[in-house]
């Protein structure tokens, strides 16, 4: 399997993720629409990190445009990472964002838990990730609550 999960300086090789999506680096897919790649491509860890910064900025901006209620830094980060995983279109049309924009901040953690499927099946890794995102949302990462 590829990715950039080895020692510092490791190379990142394109791989097929658990739902069949061509992926490279730190979760970069064609869904990001920022840089194309093909199976067999290899990125350096430094290049993958730079691309992650570009991708995250895109999703950060998408969350900022879609969410109409105030967010603290932690909440914006949680939603950005979630959007990086599910895509901007899914985020914009989600019940999670609709409820949040109604001021229902408490709806976010249970809504995150609904996004644990890939390829039509529940994925343990996504279930764990969504629970962690919900816990971060609730904790505010130590930030002052709104």
């Amino acid at each position: 399997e590829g990715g950039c999960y080895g020692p510092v300086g490791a190379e990142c090789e394109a791989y097929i993720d658990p739902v069949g999506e061509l992926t490279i680096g730190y979760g970069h897919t064609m869904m990001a629409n920022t840089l194309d790649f093909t199976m067999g491509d290899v990125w350096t860890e430094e290049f993958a990190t730079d691309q992650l910064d570009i991708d995250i900025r895109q999703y950060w901006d998408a969350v900022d445009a879609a969410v109409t209620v105030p967010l603290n830094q932690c909440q914006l980060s949680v939603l950005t990472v979630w959007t990086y995983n599910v895509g901007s279109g899914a985020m914009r049309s989600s019940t999670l964002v609709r409820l949040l924009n109604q001021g229902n901040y408490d709806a976010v953690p249970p809504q995150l838990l609904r996004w644990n499927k890939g390829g039509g099946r529940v994925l343990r890794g996504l279930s764990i990730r969504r629970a962690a995102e919900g816990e971060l949302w609730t904790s505010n990462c130590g930030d002052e609550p709104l």
Side-chain angles (χ1 to χ4, degrees):
E1 183 174 315
C4 285
Y5 303 104
V8 173
E11 293 183 333
C12 311
E13 186 176 348
Y15 62 98
I16 303 297
D17 76 5
V19 297
E21 187 76 30
L22 182 60
T23 306
I24 195 168
Y26 297 104
H28 178 84
T29 66
M30 297 299 200
M31 185 170 52
N33 293 320
T34 54
L35 182 65
D36 290 345
F37 65 99
T38 60
M39 194 65 173
D41 285 357
V42 176
W43 291 356
T44 64
E45 181 183 33
E46 180 181 9
F47 187 84
T49 299
D50 291 345
Q51 188 59 47
L52 177 63
D53 290 343
I54 293 166
D55 291 347
I56 287 292
R57 184 74 214 173
Q58 167 185 280
Y59 294 113
W60 180 285
D61 290 345
V63 169
D64 190 50
V67 174
T68 59
V69 295
L71 298 174
N72 64 31
Q73 180 67 50
C74 181
Q75 293 166 332
L76 181 56
S77 295
V78 166
L79 293 182
T80 299
V81 170
W82 171 68
T83 302
Y84 180 69
N85 188 239
V86 304
S88 298
M91 176 272 299
R92 281 190 298 273
S93 64
S94 70
T95 300
L96 184 155
V97 168
R98 181 176 54 79
L99 292 172
L100 178 59
N101 283 340
Q102 293 171 358
N104 190 347
Y105 291 83
D106 292 337
V108 172
Q111 284 295 314
L112 286 168
L113 292 174
R114 297 179 64 210
W115 293 85
N116 66 344
K117 296 171 189 71
R121 65 186 200 280
V122 172
L123 298 177
R124 182 176 181 275
L126 284 181
S127 295
I128 292 168
R129 179 185 298 176
R130 297 298 172 250
E133 290 164 349
E135 287 177 22
L136 281 172
W137 180 272
T138 302
S139 76
N140 285 322
C141 306
D143 293 345
E144 290 296 317
L146 294 174

